[in-house]
Structures are given as C-alpha cells and as structure tokens.
Amino acid sequence: MPVLPSPRRSGALLLAAATVATVLTCGAAAPAAADEPGWTAEPVAGSAPAAVKAGTRPYFYLAGTSGTVLEDRLALANTSDREHTITLRGADAYNTAAGAFAVRSAEESTGAGVWISFGKGATVKVPPRTRAVVPFTVTVPPGSPPGDHPAAVVATEAGREVGVRVHLRVGGPALAALTVEDVSVRGKGAAASVTYSLVNRGNVALVPELAISAEGTLGKVAGRSTRTVPVEVLPGQRVELTEPWPGAPVFDRVALTLTVTAPGGARATARASAWFVPWGIAGATGLGLLCLGAVAATALLLVRKRRIRAGDGPGPSPHGSAVPEEAPAPEHELTGAPR
C-alpha cells in the first residue's frame, strides 16, 4: 500500500461524484525519465468544469453532514508517449507505527474508503501527452459519526500505486483528545533520545506539539522547548516516536516530564525517570578502588605477621613486669645409698 506524506494542517474532507472521465489535450511536456511511470495523479485546481490545471491542491479537503453526497475531481496526467490504463478506487487511511500516512487494500477498507465512488470512470485510458479529469463522489452514510474520516484515492497501473489524500470531516461535535504513553530514555549526553507513544483518543486528526522538561539531583536539566511533532495522528491511531534530547546529562538521576498539546484544547503529560551513569569511568574507578583495597589488606596482613613474630620470645606480662624464668628441677643421683 502506498505511504503518503502527512501535511502539517488538518483538513476537512473529500467527497466526489463520478461520471465519465473528461480527456483534455495537454501542452508539450518533457519526456519522462526511464525510471518514471510516465503519469501522475493529483487534485484538479478550482471548481469550474473547464479547470484542468493541477498541482495547486496537494490533497482533497471537503466536509459535509451525514447523509450528503460530496463531489470533487482527480486529474491523471500522461507525460509519456504511450497510452496508460489506470484503475481508480477509494481506500481507508491509517497511521503506520512511525506515524506515516498509509492506505489499506480494497479488501481491508470498510470506512470512508468505500464511500468513494468513480462510477463508470473507475478505469481510465489516458492517451499520450494528455490529462484525464475524472469526477468522483463520496456518499456519507446517514448516522455517520462526526469528526474526521481519513481516506485516499488510489490510482493503480501494473502494480504501481499512487495515493492522493482525502480529508473528510463529517459535521457535528469535534473532540480533540490524546494521551502520551510508554516514555523511556535511550543513550546519554548529546546522543540521548526519548521514545514515547501518542494515542489519538478524539475524533479529529491532530498535529501535536511536544515539550520536555527535566529535573536532576542537583537541579534543573536542559530539556526541549516546545516544537511541532512532524506527524499527523489520525483519530483512534497510535504512533511510536523518538525525540532527540541533546541536553541530557552524562551522570545524574533525572525526572523527565513530557507535555503534549494540540489544537482544540488537547493536552497530555507523562513522566519517567532515568539514571545516567558513565560506565567507562565507573568501571575504571571501581577497578582502582578494588586495587587500593587489595593493597590495604596486604599491608594489614604484613603488620599482623610482624607482631606475631615479635611475640615468639619472652615478653612482658600482662601487668608490665617480666615473666620470671622457671628454676631448673633438682637433679637426683641414683647411687642406691639412702640420703
């Protein structure tokens, strides 16, 4: 499935009604490169039926209430010297784990993707050096929940797919809500980074802003000022992100606070703690202390041995006086004579 770029702004939604494609001759174009497919797909600029200029709208932005039908047009430009046969369909959109905007297959699409119809224009033959303008519709079913319903128009030929984003918003109360979860720290110093997950709990797409504050044992630690997160989190989606943290300390215990905000009043915080220990220095210091302890133990053993050797001969009594030598036992002669 194609992965599409995510814009910084959240849009409304797309809906278009499909009839037959209008094929208009294009002006002279430069030959397509050998590794290029030779055709492009993008929204038609403007709303007049005669408008054929494309490129001023990167995405479809449309909105309506449940039960209505919305319309728009797609431009297929053939820049090659051969005819192209392109198949068109709608698809549900979702976030990849890293936050990219991707679309589901025809079999997996059960939401706004199936609301999109090209009618008889679902397969379009585009002659060389021409642009085909293809109308399509999006029919919002009655009772559809309010909020954003991400979708895309997918153009396919010979296994190559090109997706064009459709921002579809159904009228009604909009709820902006998110949470930040699973915060952890990797690395240290200038190479440190913070990993975390963002979950969109509301019904509108969000482009959040993130700020990091940190408090160390000895005081405040440099964090990250507020910055826009370079992803658009779709309703009900979870993304796993990594934020560089060059201000992380090399040696300290730090309490970390992540604060995430988004338009519409969404706000969430999460906290985590991390130890930063320079294990190389710690290992060298530990080895030095171990060696110092061994030297001290050896010195104490030598002193003790010297004291023991000094105590082998006569020594002072416990009261400080010399211990008298024992008198030799008297010798007896064995002569058999009585004494």
Side-chain angles (χ1 to χ4, degrees):
M1 291 298 99
V3 176
L4 311 180
S6 297
R8 292 296 179 88
R9 56 178 290 196
S10 62
L13 79 168
L14 132 91
L15 285 72
T19 57
V20 293
T22 302
V23 179
L24 301 157
T25 303
C26 299
D35 59 346
E36 294 181 352
W39 59 271
T40 60
E42 53 193 350
V44 172
S47 57
V52 296
K53 181 181 178 183
T56 59
R57 287 195 300 161
Y59 312 101
F60 293 102
Y61 299 97
L62 297 175
T65 58
S66 62
T68 60
V69 177
L70 302 177
E71 301 181 355
D72 215 315
R73 293 175 300 158
L74 177 74
L76 299 173
N78 183 350
T79 58
S80 71
D81 293 324
R82 69 177 183 87
E83 182 180 78
H84 289 278
T85 300
I86 302 170
T87 302
L88 303 173
R89 67 176 178 90
D92 294 351
Y94 67 98
N95 285 121
T96 65
F101 186 97
V103 299
R104 302 192 186 279
S105 65
E107 296 76 19
E108 295 174 328
S109 294
T110 58
V114 300
W115 303 352
I116 300 171
S117 173
F118 287 90
K120 296 179 179 179
T123 299
V124 183
K125 294 184 180 293
V126 187
R129 306 295 179 184
T130 60
R131 175 179 289 133
V133 176
V134 188
F136 66 97
T137 60
V138 177
T139 302
V140 183
S144 297
D148 292 339
H149 295 261
V153 169
V154 180
T156 306
E157 184 193 40
R160 185 228 180 196
E161 292 186 324
V162 174
V164 182
R165 290 196 62 170
V166 175
H167 288 265
L168 171 62
R169 174 164 292 184
V170 176
L175 173 63
L178 60 93
T179 58
V180 55
E181 306 171 0
D182 304 328
V183 180
S184 63
V185 180
R186 299 175 181 175
K188 60 181 180 294
S193 62
V194 180
T195 62
Y196 61 99
S197 297
L198 289 181
V199 184
N200 188 336
R201 305 286 184 182
N203 63 0
V204 293
L206 300 175
V207 180
E209 292 185 339
L210 170 71
I212 299 176
S213 61
E215 192 77 19
T217 305
L218 303 179
K220 194 172 183 60
V221 176
R224 291 298 304 269
S225 58
T226 302
R227 62 184 293 268
T228 300
V229 179
V231 299
E232 183 181 30
V233 188
L234 304 177
Q237 299 291 299
R238 170 189 290 267
V239 298
E240 300 172 0
L241 304 173
T242 299
E243 180 72 16
W245 185 22
V250 176
F251 181 70
D252 202 353
R253 185 181 186 277
V254 176
L256 200 68
T257 301
L258 270 67
T259 303
V260 181
T261 57
R267 179 183 176 87
T269 60
R271 294 174 176 82
S273 60
W275 276 99
F276 294 92
V277 179
W279 294 111
I281 297 176
T285 303
L287 181 60
L289 292 175
L290 183 61
C291 293
L292 182 61
V295 171
T298 302
L300 290 175
L301 182 61
L302 291 175
V303 170
R304 186 175 181 182
K305 286 184 177 181
R306 288 176 182 174
R307 287 181 178 175
I308 293 175
R309 290 175 181 174
D312 287 346
S317 69
H319 302 286
S321 60
V323 178
E325 295 184 0
E326 293 183 3
E331 296 182 358
H332 299 279
E333 290 182 290
L334 301 178
T335 57
R339 288 183 178 271

